[in-house]
Amino acid sequence: DETTGQVTATKTPAVPGRPAAGFMTGLGKVLGLAGAGLDDVAAISHGTTIATNQLLEGDTGRLGFITTEGFEFLLEIARQSVPDGYGNSYFWVKPDRIVPADLVKTVAGRIDATGAELAPFDEAGAAAAARWFAARGIDAIGVCLLHSYANPAHEQQLAAVLAREHPAAQVSLSSQVLAEYREYERAMTTLVDAAVKPRIAGYLDEITRRLEQAAGRRVPLHVMTSGGGVATAAEVIGRPVATVLSGPAAGAVGAALLARRAGLDQVLTCDGGGTSTDVAVVAGGQPALTTEGSVGAYPARLPMVDVVTVGAGGGSVAWLSPEGALKVGPQSAGADPGPLCYGRSGTEVTVTDAHLALGRIPAHLLGGEVPLDAAASRAGLAALAARLKLSPADCAAGVLEISAWNQANALRQVTSARGLDPRDFTLVTFGGSGSLLACPLIGTLGVPGVLVPPDPGTVSAFGLLTVDVRADFVRTAVARHAELDPAAAGALLAGLEDQARRALAEQGFAPPAQQLARSADLRYYGQAFEVRVPVRDGPFGPAAAQAAAAEFHAAHRALYGYDFRGDPRQQVEWVSLRVTGIGPIARPGLAGLQPAPGGPERATTGHRDVVFDRGAAALRVAVYWRPRLGAGDVLAGPAVIEEYGATVPLHPGFTARVDDSGNLLIRAGETP
């Protein structure tokens, strides 16, 4: 509520197969709790995992691909890697094709790297290709013509032909999706866009239609993008690849803001859901960004919050390998049928079943709205334990140990593997299952503590209230620094700035409110990849170019431990210019938490038996209702802290302190 600052939060179960229905159910529920109606709504911001889940499942449908004549094997050439490291793999492997070879068509015509036309566009050949796809019912088509980042004319002509000859097709153009060089990455990003476009477009169209019907007017709808901003639903429908990490990005941004308000600007975020756990690094109060991301097997070379995802959520399935070892994930029971305790005909033991059987979570979710069947969890664990020749309690504890290690390994990927020491960061856990293993992660990673924000189950949704509108534009322009034409580079930046201003104006931001951020991708000549550095505001001339080169030397040293500043043999090369348009929003102000009279015992709701460690006996522990805790309260483990959408098992030897923002700060070895 922008008038009072009051924040209302709730959760509602997903509606499998009907995501728009789930969205409208959640919207109606939260408006009811807030005592408001759609007439009162100024804007809606939405984070979605539809594209993420589609790509993780490898469900790309039947895609068509059109490229330049002679380059039909662009996807086959691809990139190669050793996924398991040199010591564990005998083969260099390439990713699977996203489009089979028989669904690739080529069109004559040629643009060179400068944007000059070498051969004219073959309109007749393009029309034949369009009719060929139409005859086979292939309605999602990606187009990537050679060097279209330098001159999109041929792609635009091809789009016009497709619209005329195959009007049912949804087409993605590489010059609109990713105007950068590297043909394989640009083609793959464009094809990912084409793959998710039908589902995202249908989903957002349905939501927009339902909102208009319910409100009798157009309600502004913004969608979270992977780069940490929001865009209008219409923009996202035109370029849906921007949402491939929409949900995880919202969580990282929301957690970063909440941590910053708690005085922490160096944190690791751990967002645990039903299917997966998403982790990210926040340094200097901002989540790290990358353009080298991927979702599942598919690279997506777009600005995105640098999130690593592992299959370690509440629904992750416990199973036995052929050698008889206990494994957890990455496969998940999902929301339907879900864990055994959901009572929806699930047949496999999950992480949630292990938590329930050990007493670490209550016999319900969402404050009692979703009852759980503890007997079903215990029966499933007993059968699994018998195969392992363990007690059911030790089997359940083993499932949770493995799940904690899976999460810890993901966190090591974004820290130790990149030269960062996790002991320099506080861990922020959130999501429905993100805080269930907070105490084991402290011991495993060596982090100084864990911050659990208030209402951790909706931190990702809260993050949507904190992000600005963003519009990213890029243009490849390769030139060695000594040969860079500042006037030409300045003209390119000016063109990108004009695009950014128009995009922000279309979203209601007047020129005085618009902000522009310029950057460039630089490298040493001969390197394969670039480092992004800021480009200062104002007219772009030799001084601005030299300042960016100096920034590059410093950034290269910070990343890799060395640079070639002052070495005439190592030249700096400019690769791409970027402009980000930012439309700032008013962020919600959060009320602080006051001390409460008496001790934390006021928050006790009862006691139950909980097993905290493998081989340990059950302990009778107090259960605390978090909304009744006051600032300054300190709880000593063993205990369980519950709230509407999440639970925190506090292991023996750990304490939880409540700060004046309502966060729980969990540490090991402290006493009240």
Side-chain angles (χ1 to χ4, degrees), residues 371-385:
L372 300 178
D373 185 350
S377 295
R378 287 193 290 267
L381 278 160
L384 181 63

Side-chain angles (χ1 to χ4, degrees), residues 530-609:
E530 301 82 48
V531 177
R532 184 165 306 162
V533 296
V535 174
R536 67 191 190 189
D537 296 333
F540 186 84
Q546 193 60 38
E551 290 272 5
F552 165 71
H553 290 304
H556 195 280
R557 175 167 288 276
L559 281 169
Y560 304 115
Y562 70 95
D563 65 67
F564 294 113
R565 187 194 306 266
D567 186 341
R569 297 170 300 175
Q570 298 289 345
Q571 301 181 53
V572 173
E573 187 172 44
W574 292 66
V575 177
S576 294
L577 299 172
R578 299 177 183 272
V579 172
T580 298
I582 302 169
I585 66 164
R587 290 169 173 76
L590 296 180
L593 186 67
Q594 300 299 316
E601 294 75 19
R602 82 182 85 78
T604 305
T605 60
H607 295 75
R608 68 168 177 260
D609 293 334

Side-chain angles (χ1 to χ4, degrees), residues 16-314:
R18 298 172 58 209
F23 176 92
M24 295 303 295
T25 299
L27 179 62
K29 183 179 178 184
V30 75
L31 288 175
L33 291 171
L38 270 174
D39 289 343
D40 303 308
V41 172
I44 296 171
S45 291
H46 178 33
T48 172
T49 57
I50 287 181
T52 315
N53 293 341
Q54 180 182 348
L55 295 174
L56 288 174
E57 293 164 4
D59 179 15
T60 57
R62 294 188 74 209
L63 284 176
F65 179 41
I66 301 178
T67 189
T68 300
E69 185 178 64
F71 288 82
E72 60 267 33
F73 296 109
L74 172 64
L75 300 181
E76 200 68 59
I77 295 170
R79 303 283 181 200
Q80 58 187 9
S81 63
V82 183
D84 297 321
Y86 290 92
N88 300 319
S89 179
Y90 295 100
F91 303 100
W92 291 78
V93 300
K94 295 179 180 179
D96 293 336
R97 297 179 60 106
I98 192 172
V99 178
D102 63 311
L103 296 183
V104 176
K105 289 293 178 183
T106 63
V107 174
R110 188 71 175 268
I111 300 289
D112 71 11
T114 69
E117 184 180 79
L118 299 180
F121 176 72
D122 180 8
E123 184 165 338
R131 290 192 291 269
W132 188 89
F133 284 119
R136 287 155 181 79
I138 296 170
D139 299 334
I141 299 173
V143 174
C144 182
L145 301 183
L146 200 66
H147 301 306
S148 60
Y149 60 87
N151 182 351
H154 285 187
E155 284 198 354
Q156 292 167 353
Q157 291 174 265
L158 180 52
V161 172
L162 285 165
R164 183 183 72 233
E165 303 289 343
H166 188 6
Q170 291 185 302
V171 179
S172 295
L173 303 181
S174 74
S175 54
Q176 295 176 355
V177 173
L178 184 67
E180 290 187 54
Y181 89 145
R182 291 196 174 97
E183 300 302 316
Y184 173 69
E185 283 79 4
R186 184 156 49 87
M188 283 297 298
T189 305
T190 302
L191 288 166
V192 168
D193 186 83
V196 302
K197 185 171 284 186
R199 198 170 298 185
I200 290 289
Y203 171 65
L204 291 178
D205 280 340
E206 182 178 354
I207 287 177
T208 302
R209 186 177 66 254
R210 286 186 176 216
L211 287 172
E212 284 195 42
Q213 290 172 347
R217 63 182 176 92
R218 180 172 289 273
V219 181
L221 176 63
H222 289 100
V223 181
M224 184 77 188
T225 64
S226 307
V230 292
T232 64
E235 286 182 298
V236 167
I237 288 172
R239 192 169 174 250
V241 70
T243 69
V244 293
L245 285 178
S246 169
V253 170
L257 176 67
L258 292 168
R260 201 159 59 243
R261 287 181 171 173
L264 301 170
D265 62 359
Q266 299 281 109
V267 300
L268 308 175
T269 68
C270 181
D271 179 2
T275 299
S276 62
T277 294
D278 307 310
V279 302
V281 173
V282 175
Q286 298 294 330
L289 296 176
T290 183
T291 55
E292 306 294 335
S294 62
V295 181
Y298 309 113
R301 191 177 167 84
L302 292 168
M304 58 180 66
V305 174
D306 194 359
V307 173
V308 169
T309 299
V310 293

Side-chain angles (χ1 to χ4, degrees), residues 240-540:
V241 70
T243 69
V244 293
L245 285 178
S246 169
V253 170
L257 176 67
L258 292 168
R260 201 159 59 243
R261 287 181 171 173
L264 301 170
D265 62 359
Q266 299 281 109
V267 300
L268 308 175
T269 68
C270 181
D271 179 2
T275 299
S276 62
T277 294
D278 307 310
V279 302
V281 173
V282 175
Q286 298 294 330
L289 296 176
T290 183
T291 55
E292 306 294 335
S294 62
V295 181
Y298 309 113
R301 191 177 167 84
L302 292 168
M304 58 180 66
V305 174
D306 194 359
V307 173
V308 169
T309 299
V310 293
S316 294
V317 171
W319 54 284
L320 297 185
S321 72
E323 299 79 22
L326 179 62
K327 305 282 187 177
V328 179
Q331 57 268 47
S332 171
D336 190 9
L340 295 172
C341 57
Y342 278 19
R344 297 177 183 166
S345 303
T347 59
E348 297 176 295
V349 172
T350 68
V351 170
T352 296
D353 292 308
H355 280 297
L356 180 60
L358 297 180
R360 299 192 191 181
I361 62 174
H364 57 75
L365 299 176
L366 303 186
E369 295 178 25
V370 181
L372 300 178
D373 185 350
S377 295
R378 287 193 290 267
L381 278 160
L384 181 63
R387 297 172 63 189
L388 289 165
K389 298 181 181 179
L390 293 172
S391 70
D394 280 354
C395 179
V399 168
L400 299 185
E401 282 184 35
I402 295 170
S403 183
W405 275 97
N406 289 342
Q407 292 183 352
N409 286 336
L411 288 159
R412 290 190 181 100
Q413 287 182 50
V414 297
T415 53
S416 303
R418 301 178 184 180
L420 302 174
D421 190 339
R423 293 172 296 183
D424 295 334
F425 297 83
T426 297
L427 182 63
V428 181
T429 60
F430 55 99
S433 66
S435 302
L436 289 169
L437 297 170
C439 292
L441 286 173
I442 291 177
T444 302
L445 291 169
V447 294
V450 170
L451 183 81
V452 184
D455 199 9
T458 58
V459 165
S460 292
F462 173 80
L464 296 168
L465 300 176
T466 73
V467 295
D468 296 321
V469 173
R470 291 175 62 100
D472 295 295
F473 300 91
V474 60
R475 180 74 181 271
T476 291
V478 180
R480 299 192 200 183
H481 181 70
E483 301 165 2
L484 180 70
D485 181 349
L492 279 178
L493 283 170
L496 295 173
E497 289 175 343
D498 288 342
Q499 289 180 268
R501 289 191 182 97
R502 286 195 298 271
L504 293 174
E506 290 171 0
Q507 299 190 51
F509 291 93
Q514 297 175 1
Q515 299 176 4
L516 301 179
R518 307 193 303 190
S519 59
D521 297 345
L522 277 66
R523 65 188 178 192
Y524 290 117
Y525 178 70
Q527 287 184 325
F529 296 97
E530 301 82 48
V531 177
R532 184 165 306 162
V533 296
V535 174
R536 67 191 190 189
D537 296 333
F540 186 84

